[in-house]
Amino acid sequence: MAFIRSARPFDAFRALADRRGRPGDRLIESLAEARAGTPDGPERWAPAVASRFGLPAAAALGPASYYADLSAPHGDRHVRVCTATACFAAGGGQHLAEVERELGVTAHSASPRGDVSVQTVRCLGYCYAGPAALDGGTPCTGATLPAQLAGREPARAPGIPAGDDTGDPVLLGGVLSGEPAWQVWPGTVSSGTPEAVRREVAASGLRGRGGAGFGVAPKWEAAGHAPGTVVVANGDEGDPGSYADRLLMEADPGRVLEGLALACFACGAGRGLVLVRSEYPAALARMREAVRRAYADGHLGPSAHGTATSVDIHVVEGAGSYVAGEETALIAELEGGRGSARPRPPYPTEHGLWDAPTVVNNVETLAAVPWIVRHGGRAYARRGTSGETGTKLVCLSERFARPGCYEVELGTPVRRIVTGLGGGLKDGAELAALQVGGPLGGFLAADALDVPLSEAGLSSRGAALGHAGLVAFDERVAPEDVMRHVWDFAAAESCGACSPCRVGSRRGLRWASAGAPPDQEWERLSRVLTEGSLCAFGRRIPPAVRSLARAYGGRPAGWGP
């Protein structure tokens, strides 16, 4: 994974990488350069890249054939079409075929002359305006997507609608009112202590907002403030239906960096990374520019604001993988390998990136840290619920009358979010099912929305909080199609590291595609997936499928018991 150079080189990290004999910080970037503009598969160009690094061909063929951005053919004009849940719900999944007809090329291939190629991705972060596609770096959205790509209409990509439901936003102050970032950092690094930052975060009860919900303070403590610790801001927001991280990185990148700098300070880390998914080119550009400005303003570098504190931050571009958002898979990607989950223990806080203690926090999580340090952990803990404190960004999909990203307190009733903030569904449509927390998060029926937006509340209904993306399905989409879509996502995005998930997801897709009814074989597969999968991806498939069946009254075939 390539490190984007800022004003100051990341010499210490490169030296560590070189000592390990793992030049991962250049390998994937070099693979991306070799792949650009060629319709040939990785077997044609990846071995030569490996040779330049003095590595066996397999070291390059592994990641080149794994990551979607590297394995997909690329013509002179490369179009990435979103087929994730919100875009699927927007048009019943018909937009891909329409795009293929308009461009004269099928997905995951290039035209005979190599001038146009099409790749399906999940997701582009335009869930509020789908269906969506990226034509090179130009976004196109909405019902006229095929016409935009054909040049008959101008490209259309509205900004993210955002709103606050708390009265005093923790996360959206900069987005909504222009509240400047970097107000907390100078005083903290000049006269504060790492212990004070850790104390306030511990008092806040802040938990990770990337899906796992692990306590932030315990994770920081687990790293032990050891020399060489690295902190990673995880901006690989892959859950279809969520675009909160994209909003923060594009509209308020300084706040994300300030939170990362405070985390580095609290953990005794001199190095920080921001991983931005390649599907977010605007966010990638904004984060790079924000890092450049932060160095110029003295926030970062070997002597931040004239103190003895050294913090270097670099921005890294992802290569296209859903599972690589899981922290161990993310670390594997940063090291230049396949983004597959790794067994734990050891945990990343003990042996992470290049064996260094590594703390991985989601972008939204880190964006809350400046507010907590400024106002105090107790003030944050008074918001939300006693067990799940604070606020959360909730994203509403295109089917809502008022789609957008809203900051709410945890514990806010889901029905209030759907009907109050979202205004119900557009055009008076009736809600058939609501997906919560990503494709493997879970589904709620239209009459089961009286549940608090919290991990405890949603899990009691067989769903999960996840990134808190809400995707609405109306009656235009058949439940059987939704079921096949869920299984298709599971089969396509399984990293393949463990047999239960790799085999089970594909078998489930065959059952759903054939409309097979549930039987004892599914019961066995469900247990294997739940108990034997290496990471939460495989373990979440059975409960997500069951919750979808409940939401539709048990109608979809291939759902399990």
Side-chain angles (χ1 to χ4, degrees), residues 470-524:
L470 304 186
V471 177
F473 286 91
D474 57 30
E475 294 292 346
R476 299 181 311 161
V477 184
E480 291 79 11
D481 292 338
V482 181
M483 182 62 73
R484 280 191 293 271
H485 175 78
V486 170
W487 278 112
D488 180 66
F489 178 91
E493 294 295 337
S494 172
C495 75
C498 64
S499 297
C501 182
R502 181 181 67 252
V503 177
S505 59
R506 294 171 183 172
R507 184 171 298 176
L509 176 59
R510 288 199 300 271
W511 289 344
S513 298
D519 56 17
Q520 290 185 344
E521 186 176 357
W522 158 252
E523 294 181 19
R524 290 192 294 271

Side-chain angles (χ1 to χ4, degrees), residues 293-320:
R293 290 198 309 269
Y295 274 100
D297 293 341
H299 298 310
L300 305 176
S303 180
H305 291 291
T307 69
T309 298
S310 173
V311 179
D312 277 309
I313 292 178
H314 293 259
V315 178
V316 183
E317 181 179 4

